[in-house]
Amino acid sequence: MSLKNFLILGILSLALSLGYSQDHHDQETHQNDDKHKVEETQDGGHEEAKKDESKDSDEHEGSHEGDALEHGHKEDPSEVIIHHILDNHNWHITDLPGGQSIGIEFPWMVYTSKTGFVYASDSEELIEKGIIPVHEKPYVLKEGVEKHFHVNHHGMVHLEEGEMEKYIDEEAFVIDFSITKTVSQMILVGLILLLVMISVANAYKKREGQAPKGLQSFIEPVVIFVRDEVAKPYLGENTSKFLPYLLTLFFFIWFANLFGLMPFNSNIAGNISFTAALAILTFIITQVNASKDHWVHVFNTPGVPWWLKFGIPLMPLVEFIGLFTKPFALAVRLFANITAGHFMVLGLISLIFILGNGGESAGAAFGIAPLSFLFTVIIFMLEMIVAVIQPFIFTLLTAVFVGMAMESHDDHH
Amino acid sequence: MGSALIQPQVGLFFWSAVIFLVFFFILRRFAWKPILNAISAREAQIEESLQKAEQARKEMADLQSSNEALLREARAERDEIIRQANDMKDKIVKDARDEAANAAALERQKAMQQIEAEKRAAIDEIKNTASALAVDVAEKVLRKEFESKSTQEEFAKKVIADLGQN
């Protein structure tokens, strides 16, 4: 690996850790303003983060107010990581020195069985309309509850255990249709994909019959790989029918993963809802295009004793469940792989904060930082590979499932 | 909070499907179709070019072999022409030699004839001269011999005697 690549990776992971320290900071806004300033004037990297940490320890004594003392200084890193990975209703980039937040707060678009469709430009308005956002999830407020809630800088209300039952109407059915960080990230990735692919398509028009050049020569081998190695072996003569879907799957997931690795971006494929949507699309395409033999295979599996089919319908049951486990596995595999990578990176960076013990042991934080940095770089490289392997597997299995369902079994068994 | 990680959210699911499908349809129409068509068109073109190159190569080989045949033929023709020319040369030389020989022979013959004629003329002249000399001599001898009457008579007698013997 060349030095240049190593440096790029290093910068990326530093930026990522900045993103983490941002989150870390987000959790602690209860703390004093001095700390704010220190943390915000840093412009990236562990060294600064650690300095910050040590300053933090200097100021540790007696500078807390209010509920910060109740929660203590130490927070649960897993909570920070999960918050980082989960979908958000705002796209927080950074805070300016002085506490002003830079980012976008997305409007709420919520459907509930009680209120119907509700649009609110911010959380205060949403609460006004009878819906309370708790930890990125909107709930219907009970009738007659006083609408005085403290909305934090995430635009969320923090409810203690037991308070949920007090304020929230558990029976109401709620669907959150808000354009969240993940949704806008999807649109962004889609638009960039569109930009790239249309410029490549134009390059083919402009340079007709000539050898590919630039971006075109980067995309072309991948397109040909998907066509010849992923689609053709399993779909045969039907390749051209499904190739656009497979290409979109591959490139969309790949681009989404690459964006997810960049700072300030959200990891789309780390949301089970996204992977489930793709898996269900694959499932629908598979079943719609299934041949008669596919259904015969499911309900009257050849080569199985009759009593296992009609006496005790074990095989049809197994085969029928198999129809659903395939897309389920697709969704979980992609989600788990991408989420795991982000967990690893965030966990490694959290080590600094865990060993730093909330600022009490700066030495430990200093000690672990280089190791944490090194491992983050290694995991980051691994994630770059996973970012392309997972869409490949998803696309390949989609081709396999569709190809299997379309197959005629004349020459089988 | 951890369980939120694996809880599908209907709204996000909905948007995921909608956004993916929208981009799928746009990409299919404006990106994949032109890209895939262009790639397969170029592949066909490359295939065709390779076939054409192969064909050209074959034609070249054919041309080369026909060239060789032509060359062989030309070489044979050249050999034939050279052979004919050699023959003709030989013949011409032979003819010339024959003609020269003939002419020389004729010339010699003429010379011989002339020589013969000259010789004969010379011999004749010698003969004439000799005979004239002989006659002169004889006359002079005879004149001397037959100066006396008696000798003339004796000789006449002898001749007559010879005549009688015959």
Side-chain angles (χ1 to χ4, degrees):
Chain A
M1 192 174 74
S2 78
L3 188 68
K4 197 176 137 204
N5 293 350
F6 185 78
L7 282 175
I8 290 169
L9 272 173
I11 290 163
L12 278 173
S13 54
L14 282 173
L16 205 77
S17 68
L18 172 68
Y20 173 83
S21 74
Q22 208 57 64
D23 274 354
H24 178 86
H25 159 74
D26 289 347
Q27 298 294 97
E28 297 179 21
T29 36
H30 321 291
Q31 287 167 35
N32 59 56
D33 285 337
D34 289 355
K35 188 176 166 274
H36 265 252
K37 279 184 190 137
V38 173
E39 204 156 326
E40 293 325 315
T41 43
Q42 59 160 325
D43 44 352
H46 288 270
E47 298 308 310
E48 281 83 358
K50 280 182 310 187
K51 260 184 246 156
D52 177 37
E53 202 64 26
S54 55
K55 285 231 173 95
D56 196 13
S57 70
D58 296 339
E59 296 164 10
H60 194 218
E61 272 93 9
S63 59
H64 299 298
E65 302 166 336
D67 52 347
L69 280 175
E70 288 167 30
H71 295 297
H73 201 74
K74 290 166 226 162
E75 73 216 40
D76 183 4
S78 73
E79 207 150 289
V80 179
I81 293 170
I82 288 166
H83 175 83
H84 184 97
I85 285 169
L86 276 180
D87 199 4
N88 293 316
H89 283 80
N90 57 7
W91 196 325
H92 183 233
I93 293 165
T94 189
D95 288 327
L96 290 177
Q100 200 195 347
S101 170
I102 295 178
I104 306 162
E105 198 176 325
F106 296 109
W108 290 90
M109 289 149 76
V110 184
Y111 171 82
T112 71
S113 54
K114 285 273 160 70
T115 58
F117 272 103
V118 171
Y119 175 89
S121 56
D122 57 26
S123 297
E124 279 85 359
E125 194 187 330
L126 189 72
I127 294 169
E128 209 55 46
K129 289 182 174 169
I131 297 166
I132 179 169
V134 184
H135 292 306
E136 308 292 342
K137 256 180 111 172
Y139 297 92
V140 174
L141 271 173
K142 273 185 179 162
E143 303 260 342
V145 171
E146 229 183 300
K147 290 165 182 170
H148 288 304
F149 293 100
H150 172 71
V151 177
N152 67 15
H153 67 289
H154 289 302
M156 295 300 145
V157 173
H158 180 76
L159 291 183
E160 293 298 325
E161 301 225 349
E163 281 184 313
M164 294 287 273
E165 292 95 69
K166 203 166 129 199
Y167 298 118
I168 285 162
D169 187 348
E170 303 273 5
E171 282 161 32
F173 176 70
V174 180
I175 303 176
D176 180 7
F177 283 110
S178 307
I179 304 291
T180 56
K181 186 178 180 184
T182 304
V183 175
S184 48
Q185 178 83 68
M186 262 181 238
I187 295 170
L188 188 72
V189 167
L191 286 176
I192 285 163
L193 187 61
L194 211 60
L195 202 73
V196 168
M197 292 309 166
I198 285 178
S199 84
V200 168
N202 285 338
Y204 279 103
K205 271 179 219 147
K206 218 182 285 166
R207 304 169 40 80
E208 204 182 327
Q210 291 181 59
K213 203 178 157 195
L215 193 60
Q216 192 189 1
S217 57
F218 173 71
I219 297 296
E220 185 180 306
V222 185
V223 172
I224 290 175
F225 174 78
V226 173
R227 187 191 66 181
D228 292 347
E229 306 298 326
V230 176
K232 240 174 213 166
Y234 307 101
L235 294 166
E237 57 192 17
N238 298 313
T239 300
S240 57
K241 189 178 172 190
F242 299 101
L243 197 50
Y245 176 68
L246 296 175
L247 284 169
T248 314
L249 263 185
F250 182 81
F251 280 102
F252 197 90
I253 302 171
W254 188 24
F255 275 43
N257 289 347
L258 290 181
F259 270 90
L261 288 174
M262 277 191 266
F264 309 121
N265 286 275
S266 133
N267 62 328
I268 297 169
N271 286 286
I272 189 101
S273 314
F274 172 75
T275 61
L278 296 189
I280 285 173
L281 282 178
T282 290
F283 175 75
I284 292 168
I285 288 170
T286 309
Q287 304 317 324
V288 165
N289 289 289
S291 64
K292 207 184 104 196
D293 284 331
H294 171 70
W295 298 110
V296 170
H297 187 89
V298 170
F299 293 109
N300 186 11
T301 317
V304 171
W306 66 269
W307 53 270
L308 268 179
K309 291 191 273 191
F310 307 108
I312 316 154
L314 190 63
M315 277 313 287
L317 193 70
V318 168
E319 288 281 342
F320 188 71
I321 292 168
L323 293 182
F324 301 98
T325 53
K326 282 173 196 161
F328 179 77
L330 267 187
V332 171
R333 183 184 298 108
L334 178 59
F335 155 75
N337 270 284
I338 301 307
T339 307
H342 283 253
F343 257 97
M344 293 277 274
V345 170
L346 291 166
L348 283 166
I349 293 164
S350 293
L351 269 184
I352 301 169
F353 296 92
I354 294 167
L355 291 182
N357 201 12
E360 280 163 25
S361 41
F366 269 110
I368 198 70
L371 206 65
S372 175
F373 169 71
L374 184 70
F375 278 102
T376 306
V377 170
I378 291 166
I379 295 297
F380 210 93
M381 289 191 281
L382 188 73
E383 280 311 294
M384 304 270 263
I385 300 165
V386 171
V388 70
I389 287 175
Q390 285 309 316
F392 164 66
I393 292 172
F394 198 107
T395 314
L396 182 82
L397 288 178
T398 296
V400 169
F401 294 158
V402 174
M404 251 161 53
M406 289 182 84
E407 211 169 29
S408 288
H409 288 263
D410 297 339
D411 48 348
H412 264 231
H413 306 290
Chain B
M1 204 173 173
S3 65
L5 214 55
I6 50 164
Q7 269 171 11
Q9 289 154 284
V10 179
L12 188 54
F13 176 88
F14 167 78
W15 285 120
S16 298
V18 167
I19 291 166
F20 182 82
L21 283 175
V22 165
F23 282 112
F24 162 63
F25 286 117
I26 300 173
L27 279 168
R28 186 172 69 168
R29 172 78 181 74
F30 294 105
W32 303 134
K33 218 170 150 193
I35 289 174
L36 291 171
N37 284 347
I39 288 175
S40 54
R42 206 184 48 215
E43 274 170 347
Q45 193 192 340
I46 289 168
E47 183 84 2
E48 199 186 334
S49 305
L50 285 175
Q51 272 174 359
K52 270 187 187 158
E54 177 67 13
Q55 205 178 337
R57 204 184 58 79
K58 262 187 201 149
E59 269 170 21
M60 201 69 170
D62 284 356
L63 211 66
Q64 209 159 7
S65 68
S66 79
N67 270 356
E68 250 158 45
L70 218 63
L71 206 64
R72 234 186 345 259
E73 218 168 279
R75 226 173 257 147
E77 207 168 319
R78 183 200 63 185
D79 288 352
E80 176 69 10
I81 287 168
I82 288 172
R83 201 179 54 78
Q84 278 178 358
N86 270 338
D87 285 0
M88 200 172 277
K89 179 199 76 180
D90 287 352
K91 195 168 161 279
I92 287 167
V93 168
K94 195 171 154 269
D95 282 0
R97 206 171 275 157
D98 285 358
E99 209 169 311
N102 283 347
L106 207 67
E107 208 62 22
R108 199 170 55 215
Q109 206 178 349
K110 264 187 201 163
M112 289 293 245
Q113 277 172 350
Q114 215 166 342
I115 289 166
E116 194 69 22
E118 296 282 330
K119 194 172 92 185
R120 217 173 290 134
I123 289 172
D124 281 356
E125 209 177 309
I126 290 168
K127 267 184 189 161
N128 289 342
T129 313
S131 59
L133 273 175
V135 169
D136 275 358
V137 169
E139 193 190 54
K140 279 173 184 163
V141 168
L142 281 174
R143 271 176 202 267
K144 187 114 188 200
E145 201 78 20
F146 291 104
E147 266 177 20
S148 65
K149 214 100 172 209
S150 61
T151 326
Q152 282 173 7
E153 279 170 6
E154 197 179 319
F155 183 70
K157 270 181 215 171
K158 192 191 173 194
V159 170
I160 293 160
D162 279 351
L163 282 168
Q165 270 179 350
N166 286 341

